[in-house]
Amino acid sequence: VIRWENAQGEKAKLPECPQKIRDQIKQDGHCRLILATPAYFKEGYLSPEFETKHKIKIQAVALPRYQTISGWDYAANNGRGAPKPTRRLVPAGGVYFINLEDKSRIDSFIDEVWLHSIGDDEQSQRDGFGLALLGTWDGMLRKMEVIHG
């Protein structure tokens, strides 16, 4: 379980989406969702339920190559421990270009996504995976040049 606290031990409030970004997203009806931490999705890059739940449409994605993680389960095997299954994560820095189809839900979408975990697995969410930020986007798709190096 993750808790945010300030130095005096009081429960800290996470920063809200800056008003300038919120206003621009509401004006445009589009935004970028940027992963601040790697995220786990059962389907690979984002769960279809995320689109349905928030009444959004993913227009495009820009994702780095997946990250592979594992770990050690200390309680498994009668306390002797065992490796956790390997999982593939979308790395931090992944970007989703989103059309906010239901304009009446833009504020609630921002509040539900900004600095919240959007991954599919509850334990991964509690562990801090899939932390999301939002940015502006004008809704125009453009060609991108990919440089391999």
Side-chain angles (χ1 to χ4, degrees):
V1 175
I2 294 175
R3 269 190 344 210
W4 294 80
E5 292 184 8
N6 65 23
Q8 287 76 33
E10 299 169 9
K11 195 169 186 178
K13 185 176 182 203
L14 294 175
E16 294 181 5
C17 179
Q19 192 62 46
K20 187 174 182 178
I21 292 174
R22 180 183 292 270
D23 292 343
Q24 192 66 50
I25 291 171
K26 289 168 70 171
Q27 178 181 321
D28 294 341
H30 301 86
C31 70
R32 290 176 297 138
L33 184 151
I34 303 109
L35 292 174
T37 60
Y40 172 72
F41 301 109
K42 294 174 196 153
E43 300 288 325
Y45 77 98
L46 189 68
S47 75
E49 293 84 25
F50 186 82
E51 285 184 276
T52 305
K53 174 184 175 186
H54 294 290
K55 297 184 179 162
I56 62 168
K57 181 71 177 157
I58 305 296
Q59 298 297 118
V61 295
L63 304 176
R65 185 178 175 92
Y66 65 83
Q67 288 180 286
T68 305
I69 67 158
S70 185
W72 191 259
D73 184 347
Y74 289 99
N77 202 12
N78 292 323
R80 292 189 305 251
K84 289 183 177 181
T86 301
R87 297 186 300 162
R88 291 181 175 179
L89 303 179
V90 175
V95 181
Y96 300 83
F97 296 87
I98 296 172
N99 175 15
L100 299 156
E101 296 178 329
D102 185 349
K103 307 298 186 237
S104 68
R105 286 198 28 81
I106 291 177
D107 274 319
S108 61
F109 171 77
I110 292 170
D111 294 338
E112 291 168 14
V113 171
W114 181 264
L115 284 178
H116 287 84
S117 180
I118 63 165
D120 289 345
D121 175 56
E122 280 188 47
Q123 184 60 50
S124 294
Q125 291 177 2
R126 287 192 297 268
D127 290 342
F129 289 100
L131 198 64
L133 298 168
L134 298 172
T136 60
W137 176 50
D138 63 9
M140 300 295 295
L141 295 174
R142 295 171 178 82
K143 285 187 175 186
M144 294 179 67
E145 181 179 341
V146 178
I147 301 172
H148 299 280

